[in-house]
Amino acid sequence: MLRKAAQWLNLLLSNAYLPGFWLGRIYKGKLKSVCVPGLNCYSCPGAVASCPLGSLQASFGGGGFYPGFYVVGLLLAFGALFGRFVCGFLCPFGLMQELLYKMPIPRPCKRTAGQVRHWSRYIKYAVLIIFVIGMPALLAGDSGLASPAFCKYICPAGTLTAGLPLLAANSSLRAAAGALFVWKFAVAVAIVLGCLLILRFFCKYLCPLGAIYALFNRVALYRLRLTPENCVHCGDCIRACPMGVDPSHDPDSGECIRCGDCAKACKYNALHTGFACGEREAKKTAARC
Amino acid sequence: MLRAVLLVTAFFFVFIGWKRGEVASVLVKAIFVCLECIGIG
Protein backbone atom coordinates (compact mmCIF):
# COMPACT_ATOMS: atom_id res chain seq x y z
CA MET A 1 0.00 0.00 0.00
CA LEU A 2 2.80 2.39 0.99
CA ARG A 3 4.78 1.36 -2.09
CA LYS A 4 1.83 1.93 -4.42
CA ALA A 5 1.22 5.35 -2.84
CA ALA A 6 4.90 6.26 -3.29
CA GLN A 7 4.83 5.10 -6.94
CA TRP A 8 1.68 7.10 -7.79
CA LEU A 9 2.86 10.16 -5.88
CA ASN A 10 6.21 10.13 -7.67
CA LEU A 11 4.50 9.64 -11.05
CA LEU A 12 2.26 12.66 -10.40
CA LEU A 13 5.03 14.85 -8.98
CA SER A 14 7.41 14.03 -11.85
CA ASN A 15 4.68 14.78 -14.42
CA ALA A 16 2.85 17.64 -12.77
CA TYR A 17 2.70 19.94 -15.83
CA LEU A 18 -0.69 18.67 -16.93
CA PRO A 19 -1.52 21.51 -19.42
CA GLY A 20 1.34 20.20 -21.57
CA PHE A 21 -0.73 17.17 -22.56
CA TRP A 22 -3.44 19.14 -24.34
CA LEU A 23 -1.24 22.04 -25.47
CA GLY A 24 1.21 19.60 -27.08
CA ARG A 25 4.31 21.25 -25.61
CA ILE A 26 6.73 20.58 -22.79
CA TYR A 27 7.53 22.33 -19.51
CA LYS A 28 10.46 24.75 -19.77
CA GLY A 29 10.99 25.78 -16.13
CA LYS A 30 14.20 25.70 -14.09
CA LEU A 31 13.19 22.47 -12.30
CA LYS A 32 14.32 20.69 -15.45
CA SER A 33 17.91 21.19 -14.37
CA VAL A 34 17.30 18.48 -11.74
CA CYS A 35 17.15 14.77 -12.61
CA VAL A 36 14.49 12.53 -11.10
CA PRO A 37 15.83 9.15 -9.90
CA GLY A 38 13.57 7.00 -12.13
CA LEU A 39 13.02 6.60 -15.87
CA ASN A 40 10.85 9.58 -16.83
CA CYS A 41 11.37 11.09 -20.29
CA TYR A 42 12.04 14.84 -20.15
CA SER A 43 10.16 15.29 -23.40
CA CYS A 44 6.96 13.96 -21.83
CA PRO A 45 4.56 16.92 -21.93
CA GLY A 46 3.95 16.60 -18.20
CA ALA A 47 7.57 16.17 -17.09
CA VAL A 48 8.81 18.87 -14.72
CA ALA A 49 12.31 17.41 -14.24
CA SER A 50 14.94 15.62 -16.31
CA CYS A 51 15.55 11.95 -17.06
CA PRO A 52 18.91 10.81 -15.61
CA LEU A 53 19.61 8.54 -18.61
CA GLY A 54 18.84 11.23 -21.18
CA SER A 55 20.98 13.71 -19.27
CA LEU A 56 23.82 11.20 -18.94
CA GLN A 57 23.85 10.58 -22.69
CA ALA A 58 23.68 14.30 -23.44
CA SER A 59 26.58 14.92 -21.06
CA PHE A 60 28.86 12.97 -23.41
CA GLY A 61 28.48 15.88 -25.85
CA GLY A 62 32.02 17.06 -25.23
CA GLY A 63 33.27 13.94 -27.02
CA GLY A 64 35.20 11.01 -25.50
CA PHE A 65 34.28 9.03 -22.44
CA TYR A 66 33.93 11.99 -20.09
CA PRO A 67 30.40 12.23 -18.71
CA GLY A 68 29.36 15.31 -16.77
CA PHE A 69 30.19 15.37 -13.06
CA TYR A 70 26.73 16.68 -12.18
CA VAL A 71 24.71 13.80 -13.68
CA VAL A 72 27.19 11.14 -12.52
CA GLY A 73 27.12 12.68 -9.03
CA LEU A 74 23.32 12.56 -8.93
CA LEU A 75 23.30 8.91 -10.09
CA LEU A 76 25.96 8.08 -7.51
CA ALA A 77 23.91 9.75 -4.77
CA PHE A 78 20.67 7.98 -5.77
CA GLY A 79 22.54 4.67 -6.02
CA ALA A 80 24.41 5.03 -2.71
CA LEU A 81 21.28 6.07 -0.84
CA PHE A 82 18.65 3.83 -2.40
CA GLY A 83 20.10 1.30 -4.88
CA ARG A 84 17.23 -0.42 -6.71
CA PHE A 85 14.72 0.88 -4.17
CA VAL A 86 14.31 3.53 -6.91
CA CYS A 87 13.00 0.80 -9.27
CA GLY A 88 10.54 -0.56 -6.72
CA PHE A 89 9.22 2.68 -5.25
CA LEU A 90 10.06 5.67 -7.44
CA CYS A 91 10.23 4.70 -11.11
CA PRO A 92 7.13 5.74 -13.11
CA PHE A 93 7.89 3.18 -15.81
CA GLY A 94 8.10 0.45 -13.16
CA LEU A 95 4.58 1.38 -12.07
CA MET A 96 3.39 1.27 -15.69
CA GLN A 97 4.82 -2.24 -16.06
CA GLU A 98 3.08 -3.43 -12.89
CA LEU A 99 -0.22 -2.01 -14.17
CA LEU A 100 0.27 -3.76 -17.52
CA TYR A 101 0.86 -7.09 -15.76
CA LYS A 102 -2.44 -6.69 -13.91
CA MET A 103 -4.32 -7.11 -17.21
CA PRO A 104 -6.13 -10.45 -17.13
CA ILE A 105 -4.61 -12.33 -20.06
CA PRO A 106 -3.47 -15.97 -20.29
CA ARG A 107 0.24 -16.33 -19.44
CA PRO A 108 2.44 -19.35 -20.14
CA CYS A 109 4.26 -19.01 -16.78
CA LYS A 110 3.20 -16.85 -13.86
CA ARG A 111 6.53 -16.00 -12.27
CA THR A 112 10.22 -16.44 -13.08
CA ALA A 113 11.23 -17.88 -9.70
CA GLY A 114 14.85 -18.96 -9.61
CA GLN A 115 15.60 -17.39 -13.01
CA VAL A 116 17.65 -14.55 -11.58
CA ARG A 117 20.97 -16.01 -12.77
CA HIS A 118 19.75 -16.54 -16.33
CA TRP A 119 22.09 -14.98 -18.95
CA SER A 120 19.28 -12.78 -20.29
CA ARG A 121 19.46 -10.70 -17.09
CA TYR A 122 22.82 -9.38 -18.30
CA ILE A 123 21.36 -7.83 -21.47
CA LYS A 124 20.63 -4.63 -19.56
CA TYR A 125 24.35 -4.20 -18.80
CA ALA A 126 25.11 -4.56 -22.53
CA VAL A 127 22.42 -1.94 -23.26
CA LEU A 128 24.06 0.37 -20.70
CA ILE A 129 27.56 -0.06 -22.14
CA ILE A 130 26.60 0.09 -25.83
CA PHE A 131 23.65 2.47 -26.05
CA VAL A 132 24.04 4.76 -23.01
CA ILE A 133 27.84 5.07 -22.80
CA GLY A 134 29.52 3.75 -25.98
CA MET A 135 27.45 5.17 -28.83
CA PRO A 136 26.88 8.65 -27.35
CA ALA A 137 30.58 8.96 -26.45
CA LEU A 138 31.90 7.64 -29.78
CA LEU A 139 29.35 9.28 -32.05
CA ALA A 140 29.43 12.77 -30.53
CA GLY A 141 29.87 15.01 -33.55
CA ASP A 142 32.15 18.01 -34.08
CA SER A 143 29.29 20.19 -32.92
CA GLY A 144 29.70 18.62 -29.48
CA LEU A 145 26.22 17.11 -29.63
CA ALA A 146 25.98 13.51 -28.50
CA SER A 147 23.38 11.25 -30.07
CA PRO A 148 21.30 9.77 -27.24
CA ALA A 149 21.33 6.27 -28.74
CA PHE A 150 19.26 4.61 -26.01
CA CYS A 151 16.57 7.33 -26.24
CA LYS A 152 16.72 7.22 -30.03
CA TYR A 153 16.50 3.48 -30.67
CA ILE A 154 15.13 1.75 -27.57
CA CYS A 155 13.54 3.80 -24.78
CA PRO A 156 9.85 2.79 -24.55
CA ALA A 157 9.17 5.50 -21.96
CA GLY A 158 10.10 8.13 -24.56
CA THR A 159 7.76 6.65 -27.18
CA LEU A 160 4.82 6.00 -24.86
CA THR A 161 4.93 9.05 -22.59
CA ALA A 162 6.51 11.63 -24.91
CA GLY A 163 6.23 10.56 -28.55
CA LEU A 164 2.59 9.48 -28.62
CA PRO A 165 1.15 12.42 -26.58
CA LEU A 166 3.21 15.03 -28.44
CA LEU A 167 2.44 13.62 -31.87
CA ALA A 168 -1.26 13.39 -30.99
CA ALA A 169 -1.43 17.03 -29.88
CA ASN A 170 1.10 18.65 -32.24
CA SER A 171 0.48 18.47 -36.00
CA SER A 172 3.91 19.80 -37.02
CA LEU A 173 5.66 17.04 -35.05
CA ARG A 174 3.23 14.52 -36.54
CA ALA A 175 4.22 15.62 -40.04
CA ALA A 176 7.92 15.13 -39.21
CA ALA A 177 7.55 11.57 -37.91
CA GLY A 178 9.07 8.95 -40.19
CA ALA A 179 10.95 5.64 -40.21
CA LEU A 180 12.57 6.23 -36.81
CA PHE A 181 9.19 6.67 -35.19
CA VAL A 182 7.96 3.45 -36.81
CA TRP A 183 11.02 1.63 -35.38
CA LYS A 184 10.56 3.13 -31.92
CA PHE A 185 6.85 2.36 -31.94
CA ALA A 186 7.57 -1.27 -32.90
CA VAL A 187 10.14 -1.56 -30.06
CA ALA A 188 7.66 -0.03 -27.59
CA VAL A 189 4.91 -2.46 -28.70
CA ALA A 190 7.30 -5.41 -28.29
CA ILE A 191 8.25 -4.23 -24.79
CA VAL A 192 4.60 -3.70 -23.83
CA LEU A 193 3.84 -7.25 -25.00
CA GLY A 194 6.80 -8.48 -22.93
CA CYS A 195 5.45 -6.61 -19.90
CA LEU A 196 2.01 -8.17 -20.40
CA LEU A 197 3.54 -11.66 -20.27
CA ILE A 198 6.40 -11.18 -17.77
CA LEU A 199 6.18 -9.02 -14.67
CA ARG A 200 8.63 -6.09 -14.97
CA PHE A 201 10.00 -7.42 -18.26
CA PHE A 202 11.83 -4.16 -19.08
CA CYS A 203 13.36 -3.89 -15.56
CA LYS A 204 14.59 -7.49 -15.67
CA TYR A 205 16.15 -7.58 -19.11
CA LEU A 206 16.60 -4.15 -20.69
CA CYS A 207 16.66 -1.18 -18.33
CA PRO A 208 20.14 0.44 -18.21
CA LEU A 209 19.08 2.64 -15.27
CA GLY A 210 18.23 -0.52 -13.32
CA ALA A 211 21.66 -1.86 -14.33
CA ILE A 212 23.33 1.24 -12.85
CA TYR A 213 21.40 1.00 -9.58
CA ALA A 214 21.99 -2.78 -9.44
CA LEU A 215 25.71 -2.05 -9.08
CA PHE A 216 24.94 -0.18 -5.85
CA ASN A 217 22.51 -2.67 -4.29
CA ARG A 218 25.17 -4.32 -2.11
CA VAL A 219 26.33 -1.04 -0.60
CA ALA A 220 23.23 1.18 -0.70
CA LEU A 221 21.88 2.62 2.53
CA TYR A 222 18.44 1.08 1.94
CA ARG A 223 18.76 -2.69 2.47
CA LEU A 224 16.92 -5.96 2.66
CA ARG A 225 18.08 -7.70 5.85
CA LEU A 226 17.97 -11.45 6.42
CA THR A 227 17.93 -12.96 9.91
CA PRO A 228 19.30 -16.45 9.07
CA GLU A 229 18.31 -18.01 12.40
CA ASN A 230 14.63 -17.22 11.67
CA CYS A 231 14.72 -18.59 8.09
CA VAL A 232 13.32 -22.11 7.60
CA HIS A 233 13.86 -22.06 3.78
CA CYS A 234 10.14 -22.53 3.09
CA GLY A 235 10.44 -20.71 -0.27
CA ASP A 236 7.56 -18.27 0.32
CA CYS A 237 9.88 -15.32 -0.32
CA ILE A 238 11.03 -16.75 -3.68
CA ARG A 239 7.45 -17.25 -4.81
CA ALA A 240 6.52 -13.70 -3.74
CA CYS A 241 9.47 -12.00 -5.48
CA PRO A 242 8.46 -10.17 -8.69
CA MET A 243 12.10 -10.29 -9.89
CA GLY A 244 12.75 -14.00 -9.35
CA VAL A 245 15.32 -13.42 -6.59
CA ASP A 246 15.94 -15.87 -3.74
CA PRO A 247 16.22 -13.43 -0.79
CA SER A 248 17.06 -16.21 1.68
CA HIS A 249 20.18 -16.97 -0.38
CA ASP A 250 21.18 -13.49 -1.58
CA PRO A 251 19.28 -10.54 -0.03
CA ASP A 252 21.75 -8.10 -1.63
CA SER A 253 21.19 -9.36 -5.19
CA GLY A 254 21.49 -6.67 -7.84
CA GLU A 255 18.14 -7.85 -9.20
CA CYS A 256 16.25 -7.07 -5.96
CA ILE A 257 14.11 -3.95 -6.37
CA ARG A 258 13.52 -3.67 -2.59
CA CYS A 259 9.75 -3.87 -3.03
CA GLY A 260 9.42 -5.74 0.27
CA ASP A 261 7.01 -8.39 -1.09
CA CYS A 262 9.31 -11.13 0.29
CA ALA A 263 9.32 -9.58 3.78
CA LYS A 264 5.51 -9.42 3.67
CA ALA A 265 5.29 -13.05 2.55
CA CYS A 266 7.70 -14.31 5.25
CA LYS A 267 5.75 -15.86 8.13
CA TYR A 268 8.90 -16.32 10.24
CA ASN A 269 9.99 -12.67 10.42
CA ALA A 270 13.29 -13.47 8.72
CA LEU A 271 13.32 -10.59 6.23
CA HIS A 272 13.17 -6.85 6.86
CA THR A 273 13.64 -3.79 4.68
CA GLY A 274 14.96 -0.46 5.88
CA PHE A 275 17.88 1.91 5.99
CA ALA A 276 21.19 0.39 7.03
CA CYS A 277 21.66 2.87 9.89
CA GLY A 278 19.07 0.78 11.75
CA GLU A 279 21.20 -2.36 11.29
CA ARG A 280 23.62 -1.51 14.06
CA GLU A 281 20.75 -0.98 16.52
CA ALA A 282 19.15 -4.27 15.46
CA LYS A 283 22.46 -6.11 15.92
CA LYS A 284 22.96 -4.54 19.37
CA THR A 285 19.44 -5.57 20.40
CA ALA A 286 20.01 -9.11 19.08
CA ALA A 287 23.33 -9.33 20.96
CA ARG A 288 21.68 -8.16 24.19
CA CYS A 289 18.95 -10.80 23.78
CA MET B 1 32.57 3.50 5.53
CA LEU B 2 32.19 2.72 1.81
CA ARG B 3 28.71 4.26 1.87
CA ALA B 4 30.09 7.45 3.40
CA VAL B 5 32.85 7.63 0.76
CA LEU B 6 30.29 7.10 -2.03
CA LEU B 7 27.98 9.77 -0.67
CA VAL B 8 30.76 12.31 -0.16
CA THR B 9 32.04 11.57 -3.69
CA ALA B 10 28.52 11.97 -5.08
CA PHE B 11 27.98 15.35 -3.47
CA PHE B 12 31.50 16.44 -4.46
CA PHE B 13 30.74 15.51 -8.09
CA VAL B 14 27.44 17.41 -7.99
CA PHE B 15 29.28 20.44 -6.60
CA ILE B 16 32.03 20.25 -9.23
CA GLY B 17 29.40 19.86 -11.96
CA TRP B 18 27.51 22.85 -10.66
CA LYS B 19 30.69 24.94 -10.59
CA ARG B 20 31.48 23.89 -14.19
CA GLY B 21 28.05 25.01 -15.38
CA GLU B 22 26.77 21.52 -16.13
CA VAL B 23 23.44 22.24 -14.41
CA ALA B 24 22.71 24.79 -17.12
CA SER B 25 23.67 22.23 -19.81
CA VAL B 26 21.15 19.74 -18.42
CA LEU B 27 18.50 22.46 -18.35
CA VAL B 28 19.20 23.56 -21.93
CA LYS B 29 18.93 19.97 -23.18
CA ALA B 30 15.72 19.32 -21.25
CA ILE B 31 13.72 22.43 -22.13
CA PHE B 32 13.72 21.61 -25.85
CA VAL B 33 11.77 18.66 -27.21
CA CYS B 34 14.21 15.79 -27.64
CA LEU B 35 13.35 14.74 -31.19
CA GLU B 36 15.29 11.46 -30.91
CA CYS B 37 13.35 10.57 -27.74
CA ILE B 38 10.01 10.90 -29.50
CA GLY B 39 11.21 9.17 -32.67
CA ILE B 40 11.99 12.02 -35.08
CA GLY B 41 15.44 12.27 -36.54
Side-chain angles (χ1 to χ4, degrees), chain A:
Chain A
M1 185 62 193
L2 176 69
R3 190 168 78 88
K4 280 278 170 272
Q7 284 178 303
W8 279 104
L9 186 66
N10 194 58
L11 172 73
L12 293 173
L13 286 177
S14 306
N15 298 284
Y17 184 64
L18 298 178
F21 285 101
W22 59 84
L23 295 173
R25 61 173 188 238
I26 64 169
Y27 173 74
K28 292 179 185 286
K30 286 199 168 178
L31 260 178
K32 279 224 165 156
S33 57
V34 179
C35 296
V36 287
L39 192 67
N40 195 91
C41 184
Y42 48 35
S43 287
C44 169
V48 293
S50 284
C51 170
L53 277 184
S55 302
L56 181 65
Q57 291 168 86
S59 75
F60 283 109
F65 290 89
Y66 302 105
F69 281 101
Y70 175 62
V71 182
V72 171
L74 284 178
L75 284 170
L76 205 57
F78 293 142
L81 285 171
F82 304 117
R84 289 198 80 179
F85 169 86
V86 171
C87 309
F89 280 75
L90 302 175
C91 181
F93 200 67
L95 172 64
M96 283 172 66
Q97 290 176 80
E98 288 179 5
L99 294 175
L100 282 170
Y101 194 75
K102 281 188 190 294
M103 287 182 75
I105 59 160
R107 295 184 175 95
C109 56
K110 286 258 173 194
R111 290 277 166 103
T112 52
Q115 290 291 302
V116 74
R117 288 176 191 279
H118 196 265
W119 64 268
S120 52
R121 294 295 179 101
Y122 296 98
I123 296 173
K124 57 181 172 288
Y125 296 97
V127 172
L128 172 67
I129 292 165
I130 297 168
F131 288 90
V132 178
I133 299 171
M135 287 172 75
L138 292 171
L139 304 179
D142 296 335
S143 61
L145 292 174
S147 175
F150 174 74
C151 300
K152 190 172 179 178
Y153 300 112
I154 299 176
C155 185
T159 313
L160 298 173
T161 64
L164 291 178
L166 281 178
L167 262 59
N170 192 320
S171 56
S172 55
L173 286 175
R174 207 162 44 240
L180 182 62
F181 182 76
V182 174
W183 164 258
K184 278 208 71 178
F185 187 72
V187 171
V189 168
I191 290 171
V192 166
L193 287 175
C195 296
L196 286 170
L197 295 173
I198 298 170
L199 181 54
R200 282 190 175 252
F201 169 80
F202 183 71
C203 299
K204 280 175 183 160
Y205 305 112
L206 294 171
C207 183
L209 194 56
I212 293 173
Y213 292 139
L215 300 174
F216 292 95
N217 244 13
R218 286 186 195 281
V219 292
L221 211 55
Y222 193 86
R223 312 299 294 267
L224 175 67
R225 289 198 312 268
L226 170 71
T227 312
E229 50 272 32
N230 288 358
C231 181
V232 296
H233 301 283
C234 60
D236 282 351
C237 53
I238 306 171
R239 286 185 285 279
C241 180
M243 298 297 282
V245 176
D246 177 359
S248 64
H249 175 71
D250 186 9
D252 287 330
S253 166
E255 294 298 316
C256 172
I257 58 168
R258 306 300 194 222
C259 64
D261 286 0
C262 54
K264 268 186 228 149
C266 181
K267 295 189 281 284
Y268 302 95
N269 213 21
L271 290 161
H272 302 274
T273 51
F275 284 96
C277 43
E279 263 178 15
R280 203 173 295 166
E281 288 302 313
K283 275 181 190 163
K284 274 185 194 166
T285 314
R288 257 185 253 130
C289 292

Side-chain angles (χ1 to χ4, degrees), chain B residues 7-27:
Chain B
L7 281 171
V8 169
T9 309
F11 290 113
F12 179 68
F13 274 22
V14 170
F15 177 72
I16 296 282
W18 174 66
K19 289 294 265 185
R20 284 164 48 115
E22 290 172 8
V23 180
S25 309
V26 169
L27 179 67

